[in-house]
Amino acid sequence: MYDDNGIKNVEEVGAIAYKALAKAKEMAKPGAKLIDIAGAVEEFVKERGFLPAFPLNLSVNSEAAHYTPSMDDERALDEEDILKIDFGAAKDGFLSDCAVCVDFSGTHGNLIEGVEDALSAAISMIKAGVRTSDIGREIEKVITAKGGKPIKNLGGHGIERHNLHSDPFIPNFNDGSDAVLEEGMVVAVEPFATDGRGLVTEGSTCEIYQFAEEAGVRQQTARQLMAEIARSYRDEPFAVRWLAGTAQSKFSLYAAIQELVRAGVIEPHPTLVEIGNGFVAQAEAMVVVEKDGCRILTK
Ligand code: MN
Ligand code: MN
């Protein structure tokens, strides 16, 4: 739980993340390169005295989450794409998390309306004592009414200082849990909708990692990389492209990353893709639970 000063801090990281999302949304146009958006938006929070809580996630089409551009990523947005922009800011261990979804052609409007309306419906029922499974039931109802399916193995979560994913889990369907929201909790609500099967699995790409612990590694580049990660990214997940200066080549950097994964120094957060290759929409906001309602912090 947060004290009054803690709430002020999460308000601050919430507000800056929301501004960063708006900037990303403004830059996200057909033809725009993902790496340019990521660089500009991550720089936007750094210039203002914050750090990214995690690399800017720019997940496209059947990617639901955790895609961030690689080093020298050439990927550009296409007219037909549906893009999830998910981001958070960090300061002194206080963290935020929010997301928006854009669809340039309007083809996936029903999925986007589904998650946006589900998020609004969830927020309007959140108050102390509400069961997470009742929130999930409402999210599924709204998404289904728009013709989509909720993604069942993704959902919202509590956010505590130094912990972006704490209890309680907030499902996107009625999972039967007895967990209830308590006054003073900060939670992220994140409905996902798809026209696929309603589940995600780990994809083949991974550009986001998190420091776990230092360990013995033999190879020199891997040792240098471990030192840099322990120094600069001890607390929050990082992108491989943030370490571009640490190795002589892209090949040696990715080889060193693999060695650190094998040694247990870092944990991978691979891209999550919809198992039926369906299109995916997401909306996400962070709120503080109050006695008779809730207050949105990512605004
Ligand atoms: Mn989240
Ligand atoms: Mn998020």
Side-chain angles (χ1 to χ4, degrees):
M1 286 297 181
Y2 299 84
D3 58 18
D4 287 351
N5 195 47
I7 288 292
K8 244 195 265 170
N9 281 288
V10 283
E11 275 170 4
E12 206 189 0
V13 289
I16 191 79
Y18 185 76
K19 288 197 184 89
L21 271 195
K23 182 174 178 64
K25 196 173 171 180
E26 188 186 293
M27 291 183 75
K29 297 280 181 290
K33 281 172 126 182
L34 296 186
I35 197 164
D36 294 338
I37 302 173
V41 171
E42 290 163 358
E43 199 51 40
F44 177 89
V45 297
K46 287 194 221 164
E47 281 166 356
R48 286 157 181 79
F50 298 84
L51 288 171
F54 47 85
L56 181 67
N57 282 211
L58 295 167
S59 307
V60 178
N61 297 336
S62 62
E63 295 162 348
H66 297 175
Y67 185 82
T68 202
S70 61
M71 255 177 87
D72 312 321
D73 201 314
E74 287 297 317
R75 197 170 180 186
L77 292 169
D78 186 86
E79 182 71 45
E80 301 293 313
D81 286 342
I82 175 171
L83 171 71
K84 281 72 62 184
I85 306 169
D86 192 332
F87 197 46
K91 194 177 192 178
D92 302 327
F94 293 100
L95 303 164
S96 58
D97 191 4
C98 53
V100 291
C101 189
V102 291
D103 166 22
F104 311 113
S105 64
T107 317
H108 311 292
N110 66 315
L111 295 179
I112 297 183
E113 273 176 37
V115 292
E116 287 176 352
D117 292 358
L119 180 60
S120 303
I123 287 171
S124 68
M125 70 189 283
I126 288 179
K127 60 179 182 178
V130 165
R131 285 151 68 115
T132 56
S133 54
D134 288 336
I135 298 170
R137 179 194 291 116
E138 184 66 18
I139 288 172
E140 176 165 24
K141 194 178 96 184
V142 174
I143 288 173
T144 308
K146 294 279 179 188
K149 284 182 197 152
I151 294 184
K152 292 192 170 178
N153 58 345
L154 290 173
H157 47 90
I159 299 177
E160 286 170 6
R161 192 174 183 186
H162 301 294
N163 185 2
L164 186 64
H165 293 106
S166 69
D167 286 338
F169 178 71
I170 304 179
N172 290 325
F173 67 108
N174 176 7
D175 66 350
S177 165
D178 287 330
V180 294
L181 300 184
E182 293 167 25
E183 187 176 354
M185 275 181 173
V186 170
V187 298
V189 187
E190 48 183 315
F192 283 84
T194 183
D195 56 5
R197 289 171 57 188
L199 289 171
V200 293
T201 189
E202 292 181 353
S204 55
T205 59
C206 185
E207 292 293 333
I208 301 175
Y209 294 85
Q210 183 151 19
F211 177 73
E213 58 180 2
E214 288 182 77
V217 283
R218 265 175 298 174
Q219 205 256 334
Q220 196 192 354
T221 308
R223 264 209 314 275
Q224 285 167 350
L225 191 62
M226 178 170 71
E228 173 59 17
I229 292 166
R231 183 166 55 238
S232 304
Y233 308 115
R234 185 172 276 279
D235 299 320
E236 278 87 36
F238 60 89
V240 178
R241 64 186 151 79
W242 293 356
L243 296 159
T246 318
Q248 282 178 335
S249 69
K250 189 172 167 175
F251 178 80
S252 66
L253 175 58
Y254 280 89
I257 288 281
Q258 285 318 307
E259 181 163 350
L260 295 184
V261 171
R262 281 193 299 273
V265 174
I266 57 175
E267 283 168 7
H269 291 300
T271 308
L272 298 175
V273 296
E274 212 286 319
I275 64 168
N277 211 26
F279 289 103
V280 177
Q282 175 203 17
E284 182 175 20
M286 180 174 88
V287 306
V288 55
V289 180
E290 297 179 332
K291 190 166 173 287
D292 299 308
C294 72
R295 191 156 52 85
I296 300 174
L297 298 169
T298 43
K299 67 171 170 55

